[in-house]
Amino acid sequence: MNDRIQIDDPTPAGIAGAIARLITSGELRPGDRLPTVRELSSRLGVSPATVSHGWRALAQAGLVVSRGRSGTFVAEGGTRPRPASRTDGMTKGATSARLDLSLGTPDPLLLPEVGAILSRLALGTETTDYHQAPVVPELGRLLQADWPTKSGALTVVDGAMDAVARSLQAVVRFGDRVIVEDPTFPYILDYLDSIGAETVPVGMDEEGVLPSEFARALATGATAAVLQPRAQNPTGASMSAERAAELAEILRRGDHRCVVIEDDHSGPVVPAPDVSLGRRLPDQVLHVRSYSKSHGPDLRIAALSGPEEVIDRIVATRVLGPGWTPRILQRLLYEMLRDETVTRTVEFARDQYQARRRALVAALGARGVRIADGQGLNAWLPVADERSALVHLAANGIRVAPGGPFFAADRGHPEAVRVTIAPLTDGVDEVAAVLAMAARPRQAEYFSLGDATPNDGSPPPKR
């Protein structure tokens, strides 16, 4: 059997990932014959079915091809994405609710008005063509004026997730290991699944990922890490400058070439400073800042910075698709960032989200339920049993996001739900009473699903 094949995780995913890494690194070349299922199962001490599942995953990804009795061989290349699953699970069985706290979206009433600025733009917009720069020069200069990294290049793309996906596409190959926060945004996990990456989850506290776990994850040979430096979704944690410095030092001390992708998805509506490892490691950090939650979801604009070679690759790839983010939208963002009324509106929204969050934290604390202060549009509520909590809340007309899809592993994680605080304009005490009841063990004993009122006598939640 091929001595180059070393597998330390004898699960189907581990086997597929190990072989994929050998193929993408060039250690296994097109036409190389792989061990038979029986040979590898004997060597690893697992059943032939386990190896077969791994081989099947590689075949579905287009990395290997079976030639019947002749065996299984490394294919010429090419990958096929696998379908997403976590985000599907979050929307299955969705029902109408009097109060929907599941969406993670901003309060529409707190978004800036754009009508007047659009009118001014319509009068002065220049005609553009296919050959102009993908980033409007004045917007690029304005963004770089307060950018938190020293990266060599900056471009504009269509929202935070577009920036994260394009960054991963540029630096991750099938079978590569990618460090993720645990818990993290399910769309990130689904995208990593779709490109055949292997996730390496790391724990967190209220300052971000834990340095000891980050160092352990780097030791696996991870090629990339996806971190959310402020208002982490779902926990609301924001990375401190001290934690960022510690993580950067771990990367530098070990000479790890792991590329860090920083997803600042909520941008200006978060009071914490925009912290980045890119201040110390500009050649290893891709930094994303989105303006969708602060200035309007329909803008679909995020700025992305990083090493010039990587950003150039991303820009070149976009030429084959959308080409560029519409320049009229870029000019709209430029004018909004310079407009004093818009700036005051964004600052007011930031204060409102924090006030609503503090009110919920205090109301839950008064009922013996502690959640992290955090920042941003979401709060992370530990519960005794996720499924029972969701049923209890639905019976009271409240919908929240299940916590399971936010974890890299299907089992063994803490039970929790994500609560979006943006819609909590009033009735916080009533909502907190129902959330606190849902968080407790055996809540079904205290509350009848046919009753719309908690047994503590408090009225049903109001919007």
Side-chain angles (χ1 to χ4, degrees):
M1 185 166 48
N2 197 320
D3 292 335
R4 289 171 292 179
I5 298 177
Q6 300 295 325
I7 297 172
D8 54 14
D9 177 11
T11 64
I15 293 168
I19 300 298
R21 285 189 289 276
L22 290 172
I23 293 172
T24 54
S25 69
E27 293 182 62
L28 288 177
R29 298 180 177 277
D32 283 354
R33 184 180 182 279
L34 297 178
T36 67
V37 168
R38 203 169 287 278
E39 286 174 339
L40 192 56
S41 65
S42 175
R43 173 179 167 181
L44 297 177
V46 297
S47 71
T50 298
V51 178
S52 292
H53 285 306
W55 257 222
R56 191 174 304 124
L58 291 165
Q60 289 173 346
L63 291 178
V64 303
V65 59
S66 174
R67 296 175 184 164
R69 292 181 178 274
S70 297
T72 300
F73 297 81
V74 177
E76 290 299 323
T79 61
R80 288 197 299 248
R82 291 180 290 178
S85 59
R86 290 176 182 84
T87 46
D88 292 343
M90 292 178 68
T91 56
K92 278 181 182 175
T95 58
S96 59
R98 286 179 297 167
L99 183 60
D100 195 339
L101 306 179
S102 71
L103 300 177
T105 53
D107 183 346
L109 298 179
L110 295 179
L111 294 170
E113 294 285 344
V114 299
I117 298 177
L118 279 172
S119 297
R120 295 202 306 267
L121 271 179
L123 294 174
T125 299
E126 301 175 5
T127 301
T128 62
D129 60 42
Y130 288 90
H131 305 293
Q132 292 184 359
V135 178
V136 170
E138 55 265 38
L139 175 61
R141 289 191 293 270
L142 184 62
L143 293 174
Q144 287 178 322
D146 71 340
W147 203 253
T149 76
K150 300 176 182 178
S151 300
L154 181 144
T155 191
V156 172
V157 294
D158 302 336
M161 196 59 217
D162 183 47
V164 171
R166 291 185 181 279
S167 298
L168 288 168
Q169 193 175 45
V171 300
V172 174
R173 299 168 300 181
F174 188 97
D176 280 357
R177 292 187 171 112
V178 178
I179 297 170
V180 294
E181 300 156 329
D182 204 30
T184 193
F185 188 44
Y187 283 82
I188 294 172
L189 297 174
D190 275 347
Y191 186 78
L192 289 170
D193 282 347
S194 77
I195 61 175
E198 181 182 333
T199 56
V200 184
V202 294
M204 301 179 59
D205 62 15
E206 294 179 13
E207 292 186 57
V209 299
L210 297 169
S212 59
E213 295 205 17
F214 187 65
R216 170 192 56 78
L218 285 171
T220 68
T223 59
V226 183
L227 307 180
Q228 300 172 70
R230 54 179 175 175
Q232 197 264 356
N233 187 356
T235 67
S238 290
M239 188 182 297
S240 66
E242 294 76 15
R243 179 62 55 82
E246 192 171 358
L247 298 179
E249 181 58 28
I250 291 171
L251 279 163
R252 180 160 38 202
R253 188 171 60 237
D255 195 26
H256 298 287
R257 297 312 301 167
C258 175
V259 175
V260 177
I261 300 165
E262 298 174 334
D263 176 16
D264 181 26
H265 49 78
S266 293
V269 291
V270 180
D274 192 0
V275 170
S276 173
L277 277 68
R279 287 190 183 276
R280 294 169 175 80
L281 299 172
D283 294 335
Q284 284 183 247
V285 175
L286 293 163
H287 189 80
V288 177
R289 183 192 292 170
S290 172
Y291 294 89
S292 294
K293 291 184 174 65
S294 57
H295 291 72
D298 270 347
L299 285 176
R300 306 310 304 149
I301 284 185
L304 168 64
S305 75
E308 188 171 356
E309 182 270 331
V310 178
I311 297 299
D312 285 349
R313 200 185 319 154
I314 291 171
V315 171
T317 302
R318 289 192 86 209
V319 169
L320 304 176
W324 64 88
T325 297
R327 296 186 186 98
I328 191 169
L329 292 180
Q330 294 188 49
R331 291 195 175 93
L332 174 59
L333 177 61
Y334 172 70
E335 294 297 335
M336 293 178 78
L337 291 174
R338 298 169 65 235
D339 188 279
E340 291 184 4
T341 300
V342 171
T343 299
R344 287 195 297 269
T345 300
V346 172
E347 290 172 349
F348 179 75
R350 182 181 64 210
D351 294 342
Q352 282 294 303
Y353 291 136
Q354 282 304 102
R356 294 174 191 182
R357 188 185 185 96
R358 285 194 296 268
L360 180 62
V361 169
L364 286 170
R367 291 166 172 81
V369 177
R370 182 188 178 279
I371 62 173
D373 289 338
Q375 297 179 338
L377 277 60
N378 301 298
W380 190 238
L381 176 65
V383 298
D385 181 85
E386 178 185 311
R387 184 173 181 180
S388 297
L390 293 171
V391 171
H392 175 87
L393 291 168
N396 280 270
I398 297 176
R399 185 168 179 241
V400 298
F406 291 85
F407 289 96
D410 293 333
R411 298 173 183 268
H413 54 73
E415 301 280 306
V417 296
R418 190 194 70 178
V419 181
T420 300
I421 55 88
L424 293 178
T425 55
D426 56 20
V428 174
D429 282 340
E430 292 84 358
V431 172
V434 181
L435 290 171
M437 186 74 75
R440 295 176 186 136
R442 302 188 307 279
Q443 62 266 21
E445 295 181 12
Y446 309 127
F447 182 70
S448 168
L449 296 183
D451 190 352
T453 305
N455 72 348
D456 62 2
S458 62
K462 295 182 285 187
R463 268 204 88 111

